[in-house]
Amino acid sequence: MNEIEFNRHRRLRRSSGLRAMVRESVLRKEDLIYPIFVVEGENVKNEVPSMPGVHQVSLDYLKEEMDKLEARGILSVIVFGVPAHKDDCGTEAYTENGIVQRAIRQIKEENPSLTVIADTCLCQYTDHGHCGVIDNGIILNDSSLELLTKTAVSQAKAGADVIAPSNMMDGFTAAIRKGLDEAGFSDIPVMSYAVKYASAFYGPFRDAAHSSPSFGDRKTYQMDPPNRLEALREAKSDVSEGADFLIVKPALSYLDIVREVKNETGLPVVAYNVSGEYAMIKAAAQNGWIDEKEVVMEKLTSMKRAGADLIVTYFALDAAKWIVEDH
């Protein structure tokens, strides 16, 4: 064997201390964004059947949930609303006392150190479940922008720190940026869902948000999964239209896109670790087929390695606890 020449990479893996010294990607509590679903009513805390451990909560449970985040060192939350009433133009999305607007005001009053991100879309609020205005079965792009802008402005008025439009209408970032600026919110950043694929991994989320479309699907506005170059065009459009962050959704099957968006733009990139990714790990862990902690931490770290600066994940509370334990 003496005549064989090779490199000894294992020298740097001999101990946990050495491995920590040369670790290239590190997951931090501050990287995690926790999604929460708020519903009308009182004393409501409904576990989502397809997402064990994730709940819809009424506003009287909100402080309890936000206190958990702060106790774990998580800095930010993204708020999704589940209204009691829906109509064809999603009125509850932009009314002053909508469920999201009230949740934002409450969080900013009770837990002011948290950064509150408002998901800005119409699908949870429309009776047809699509992210825009419908005419004869067609989702109208430009008419939808007006309602999305009203939604964003109402959320900013309620106190949202960041607006996160997720609808994938063309021009949504430009329209919302213009609307926020004209309403006096030029200092409110836009976290654009710039690259959002029409993915089968969203199923459990639609259970949680009650947002399944009543007809058709979202493939005319969300992206086709095989496309890579289109993702870069979408991201660059949002950069030029005024986005401050860029979301890639889903995360795990699109890590190549996370890396390319990171390399091609100068903006912070957010990976959305979606509901289907969460549900699969929970189901496998509950059956004893995988080690949940090890798989979750490996998965979230892979998103950091791919270039994500921030991660939206339903595992945020557990991951923050595990980060502390491992240190």
Side-chain angles (χ1 to χ4, degrees):
M1 294 294 290
N2 289 338
E3 70 277 10
I4 299 175
E5 294 185 2
F6 55 89
N7 296 315
R8 295 194 178 276
H9 301 289
R10 291 177 57 191
R11 287 176 185 138
L12 298 182
R13 304 175 196 145
R14 286 180 54 241
S15 68
S16 60
L18 278 169
R19 292 193 292 276
M21 286 176 66
V22 298
R23 191 159 293 144
E24 299 172 28
S25 300
V26 177
L27 182 67
R28 307 177 309 151
K29 294 178 293 182
E30 294 83 354
D31 301 329
L32 305 173
I33 300 172
Y34 184 70
I36 191 160
F37 300 93
V38 290
V39 298
E40 304 280 2
E42 293 183 358
N43 199 30
V44 179
K45 190 171 184 178
N46 297 326
E47 187 172 48
V48 181
S50 54
M51 300 174 71
V54 174
H55 296 82
Q56 300 171 326
V57 297
S58 50
L59 298 183
D60 47 321
Y61 276 111
L62 199 50
K63 186 171 189 329
E64 176 182 313
E65 295 295 311
M66 297 303 101
D67 287 349
K68 287 182 194 172
L69 298 187
E70 291 194 316
R72 295 280 171 89
I74 296 170
L75 303 180
S76 51
V77 58
I78 183 166
V79 182
F80 297 90
V82 184
H85 172 72
K86 302 187 182 197
D87 57 31
D88 62 351
C89 55
T91 305
E92 288 296 309
Y94 41 85
T95 188
E96 181 180 351
N97 286 316
I99 184 63
V100 162
Q101 287 79 1
R102 282 183 282 149
I104 292 167
R105 284 195 291 270
Q106 184 175 326
I107 296 171
K108 295 309 296 181
E109 180 179 343
E110 296 176 340
N111 299 84
S113 66
L114 286 174
T115 296
V116 179
I117 304 164
D119 178 80
T120 305
C121 200
L122 299 175
C123 58
Q124 299 105 301
Y125 307 91
T126 53
D127 51 16
H128 46 71
H130 280 286
C131 305
V133 178
I134 303 289
D135 185 28
N136 290 323
I138 303 296
I139 296 95
L140 302 179
N141 192 90
D142 296 11
S143 303
S144 302
L145 298 182
E146 296 176 19
L147 300 185
L148 292 164
T149 301
K150 287 175 66 175
T151 303
V153 170
S154 74
Q155 293 167 338
K157 285 181 178 175
D161 298 294
V162 180
I163 298 299
S166 58
N167 52 88
M168 288 297 283
M169 295 296 119
D170 288 338
F172 68 85
T173 297
I176 287 174
R177 183 71 272 160
K178 182 172 184 288
L180 290 172
D181 291 349
E182 290 178 351
F185 297 108
S186 58
D187 56 341
I188 299 296
V190 173
M191 181 182 283
S192 159
Y193 286 65
V195 181
K196 183 177 180 180
Y197 286 91
S199 171
F201 286 100
Y202 301 152
F205 174 91
R206 291 170 186 167
D207 290 342
H210 299 169
S211 61
S212 296
S214 61
F215 67 91
D217 53 42
R218 297 185 173 121
K219 293 180 180 178
T220 65
Y221 44 106
Q222 295 180 356
M223 283 186 51
D224 195 13
N227 289 356
R228 179 180 65 85
L229 296 177
E230 185 184 18
L232 299 180
R233 294 198 297 272
E234 288 277 3
K236 289 176 181 176
S237 286
D238 281 19
V239 172
S240 68
E241 292 174 14
D244 300 281
F245 304 80
L246 300 171
I247 295 179
V248 176
K249 182 181 182 180
L252 205 54
S253 293
Y254 300 86
L255 293 181
D256 56 327
I257 304 301
V258 172
R259 168 49 60 191
E260 292 210 62
V261 170
K262 180 65 178 176
N263 288 348
E264 294 290 330
T265 71
L267 295 187
V269 174
V270 184
Y272 198 131
N273 175 210
V274 300
S275 58
E277 297 166 352
Y278 175 89
M280 289 191 298
I281 288 178
K282 280 291 184 184
Q286 289 181 348
N287 279 287
W289 297 335
I290 60 171
D291 182 314
E292 181 176 350
K293 173 185 172 181
E294 294 295 326
V295 169
V296 169
M297 299 305 281
E298 183 177 335
K299 180 183 69 166
L300 297 180
T301 302
S302 77
M303 296 169 198
K304 291 285 292 185
R305 191 184 64 243
D309 299 281
L310 300 164
I311 302 170
V312 180
T313 177
Y314 304 98
F315 286 111
L317 281 167
D318 287 335
K321 180 182 70 174
W322 293 330
I323 288 169
V324 172
E325 289 175 353
D326 289 346
H327 278 74

